[in-house]
Amino acid sequence: MTSNAVVVSDVSKSFRIYRDRNRSIKATVLKRSRAKYDEFWALKDIDLEIPQGKTFGLLGNNGSGKSTLLKCIAQILEPNKGFITHVGRMAAMLEVGSGFHPELSGRDNVYLNGAILGMSKAEIDRKFDSIVDFSGVGDFIDQPVKNYSSGMYVRLGFAVSIHIEPDILLVDEVLSVGDIAFQEKCTEKFSDLRRDGRTVVVVSHAVDQMRTFCDQAAWLRKGQLMGVGPAQDVINDYADQAHNVQQHHSQLAEGDAESSSEDQTQGRFGSGEATIERVELLDAHCEDVRQVRTGDKVTLRMHFTCHEPVAAPVFGFSIEHETGFLVWGHNNVQSDWVAAPMRPGAGSVDLVIPEFPLRPGSFRIQAGIAADHNARTVDSLPRALSFTVATGEPFESLGVAVMHSHFENLRQEG
Amino acid sequence: MASVRAGTLSMRDSLVKNRTVNLLANLTLREIKGQYKKTVLGRAWSLLNPLANIAVYSLVFGILVRATPPLGTNSGLKSYALWVACGIIPWGFMSTGTSLGRGALADNAGLLTKVYFPRFVLPTSTILALASTFLTELAAVAIFVGVAGGGPRIVWRLPVLIPIVILNTAFVLGLSLILSIGMVYFGDIQHIWGIFLQLWMYASCVVLPFSLVQQAQVGHPNLPIEFLFELNPAYQFVEAYRNVLYDFDVPSLTRWLVMLAWAAVSMIIGSWVFSKFSSRIVEEL
């Protein structure tokens, strides 16, 4: 049983939203009250335990209260109700380089910023070379920081912050600092912290980054704690919910489209011997869904009505990313599956995808029927259906596809 | 709430104290180093500014208005320029101190919203930085007075300045703590304080001698004019510096007690207001 680095007990935090902000004494005297305001609860009854030595992620959409919670833990804000305790030295990295004095040299600012963040002079003396080395500022260290490029400024600030070596480090979306080489250095430093058994609390909405980074996570929505636990589970829940919201939006957009059916058939073309009525996206239980998970068995079903016989029909599907990038396409000729001639009347055809290989995101399906060895298009629906992909198995971290990959055979010289 | 502090204070007590002292020293140095960075003359400005003031007031009141300077009791000095110098330098410390201290929180919003540290460090470092500048100015005035007629005797009086400067700094700091909180809630304080400082200067006998006040008292026997002047802390402090630097004397016991009382009242109210409001200021910035 590990002990807790931070315990948040029943914490609530409200802000005043001023309806009529007055900062003048005259107005105060005239109205006899300082200002009218509404109470806005940014955090409601949060109970949370952050175990020692873990990297803990706080997830949530913008305005969910995650940064407010971090600021409460950092003692910058004071909760209205409840209390927060922590064990060990704590440092917050909410904005790097805050408190730099532009007229002073980089050297003076390192000492100043270090003191603000809680380092003693002897401690900074000891770490000074390492800080300068980490920042890559080099000979500029004795120049006033106003002459620094924005990158140098941020790197120096980050270098100071990361050298505090606190027992608990609070980080707010500052991981995307500097160029790739610098980011790698940062990631390395963070894993050092973790290896030394220090607790890191990270706030972000960059799901993929959090996944590689955190052991444990919590997610917040509208100031309420929605879930706490092992990072993978919590992040999956959060990502699903986030995609649902997105899907909801796209359905609203689709709803408009469907009400005037020209839009859904926008860009439709073909000679017209048969028409595609609709396309279904079926999950493993044969239910028509608009969200699937990576790795699910998925079936695309095309319903059509045939008006005149078509001798050698070619059925095709393709999937496009929401950005318009064509991800995949396939038709039955390519897979040597010969379709029987189509007769007038209604019918359908299935395409089976045994393990859905796309990563979370929003996609569109195009469906088409062609004739004469794919030489003539009978009907084509470029926007037959929109759907989203939620996180599933296997998990591979980036891009649009999963490849069921694995690592092996690490070899080292000497 | 209080429990946040209570829960963590015991574990970090000694660490926090070290850190706070260290931070205070660093911020004070930042203020001192940053003050004249962009100027060609640099630190010389901290002496040139008051010298220019002394010159202007000597010209206007000493030559045009012909205000008669009081006679220095032990020094035998009778020079308006020297008399004004002994008053305008301490007054400058009080007026600049409260003006800069007033903005110490509001002007550092970026820092306050991003990093936690004891908030009183900001106004305190501002005042301490100013106090160190003030000490060099006082030394310059002492040399000025000694060379211009007072002679080397002044040297023996200088240690008396130390307790006066300490009480005066406490008084300015307490006032700045209140003003810095006030500024966060009411921006108007910036302008009101500017106007008030002008009035206060004339109410502190900085450029016009107390004999004028006594004359006014004779003209209006029913108004407690002299009493109000005696009550004015800035007047007491300015006169205390003059007791030492112009009269080569020590302040009276009453004056010591009045200064002590003002310093204590200012610090007590200042710390109370600051501790009551400082935890919520981040939301108001």
Side-chain angles (χ1 to χ4, degrees), chain B residues 249-264:
Chain B
D249 203 348
V250 286
S252 67
L253 182 64
T254 326
R255 181 153 290 154
W256 280 115
L257 291 177
V258 174
M259 289 193 295
L260 184 67
W262 273 112

Side-chain angles (χ1 to χ4, degrees), chain A residues 32-328:
Chain A
R32 295 187 170 215
S33 70
R34 220 169 73 70
K36 296 216 181 321
Y37 59 82
D38 293 319
E39 207 92 3
F40 164 75
W41 289 92
L43 293 175
K44 276 176 277 187
D45 308 322
I46 305 288
D47 276 300
L48 198 60
E49 286 173 356
I50 298 175
Q52 216 149 29
K54 300 279 187 207
T55 302
F56 193 94
L58 284 174
L59 294 137
N61 297 334
N62 290 329
S64 59
K66 58 187 190 306
S67 291
T68 303
L69 180 57
L70 196 74
K71 282 186 173 182
C72 284
I73 295 174
Q75 291 179 286
I76 292 166
L77 293 174
E78 218 173 89
N80 305 61
K81 193 160 85 61
F83 58 93
I84 300 171
T85 52
H86 67 265
V87 180
R89 182 174 171 183
M90 184 166 68
M93 243 161 72
L94 302 190
E95 190 175 280
V96 292
S98 43
F100 274 9
H101 192 298
E103 298 290 343
L104 295 182
S105 71
R107 183 183 300 271
D108 287 343
N109 270 308
V110 167
Y111 280 92
L112 178 65
N113 206 234
I116 290 172
L117 294 168
M119 280 194 270
S120 69
K121 183 166 183 307
E123 199 179 343
I124 306 173
D125 283 339
R126 190 157 40 81
K127 293 174 182 168
F128 188 81
D129 289 339
S130 163
I131 290 173
V132 177
D133 191 47
F134 190 86
S135 69
V137 168
D139 294 339
F140 278 87
I141 193 68
D142 286 313
Q143 294 286 315
V145 294
K146 64 174 177 182
N147 295 342
Y148 283 22
S149 72
S150 56
M152 285 161 74
Y153 189 93
V154 171
R155 288 203 313 265
L156 187 63
F158 194 88
V160 177
S161 304
I162 210 152
H163 278 83
I164 313 163
E165 293 177 3
D167 302 310
I168 306 164
L169 181 66
L170 311 176
V171 185
D172 190 359
E173 316 237 20
V174 287
L175 299 170
S176 49
V177 159
D179 52 24
I180 290 174
F182 187 72
Q183 282 198 12
E184 278 169 7
K185 264 203 254 181
C186 294
T187 316
E188 208 173 297
K189 195 79 189 174
F190 274 111
S191 46
D192 283 356
L193 287 175
R194 195 195 303 218
R195 203 185 49 221
D196 295 348
R198 299 175 197 276
T199 313
V200 181
V201 184
V202 196
V203 158
S204 184
H205 48 232
V207 172
D208 288 330
Q209 200 177 30
M210 298 288 266
R211 216 186 281 270
T212 52
F213 214 76
C214 301
D215 312 310
Q216 298 249 316
W219 72 282
L220 291 156
R221 191 170 70 185
K222 291 179 181 165
Q224 272 164 331
L225 194 63
M226 304 298 287
V228 200
Q232 287 293 345
D233 301 348
V234 174
I235 293 170
N236 283 351
D237 288 350
Y238 166 69
D240 288 355
Q241 177 266 350
H243 276 298
N244 274 335
V245 174
Q246 213 177 343
Q247 190 196 8
H248 184 64
H249 283 301
S250 62
Q251 272 178 350
L252 282 182
E254 291 284 301
D256 286 346
E258 269 160 1
S259 62
S260 55
S261 65
E262 288 96 329
D263 268 3
Q264 197 205 0
T265 58
Q266 192 187 18
R268 174 176 217 158
F269 65 99
S271 49
E273 292 95 327
T275 46
I276 302 168
E277 296 302 328
R278 64 198 160 90
V279 171
E280 285 178 327
L281 181 68
L282 305 175
D283 65 8
H285 311 290
C286 276
E287 276 173 50
D288 188 16
V289 294
R290 290 297 172 268
Q291 184 179 53
V292 297
R293 282 177 187 279
T294 306
D296 281 359
K297 183 187 178 204
V298 170
T299 304
L300 303 180
R301 181 168 291 168
M302 185 197 300
H303 294 271
F304 54 80
T305 307
C306 184
H307 311 289
E308 293 165 38
V310 178
V314 180
F315 301 102
F317 284 105
S318 64
I319 295 178
E320 202 178 72
H321 190 250
E322 61 180 336
T323 55
F325 170 72
L326 182 64
V327 177
W328 162 92

Side-chain angles (χ1 to χ4, degrees), chain A residues 360-375:
Chain A
S362 294
F363 299 90
R364 272 194 298 273
I365 296 176
Q366 295 95 43
I369 303 173
D372 301 342
H373 303 284
N374 216 8

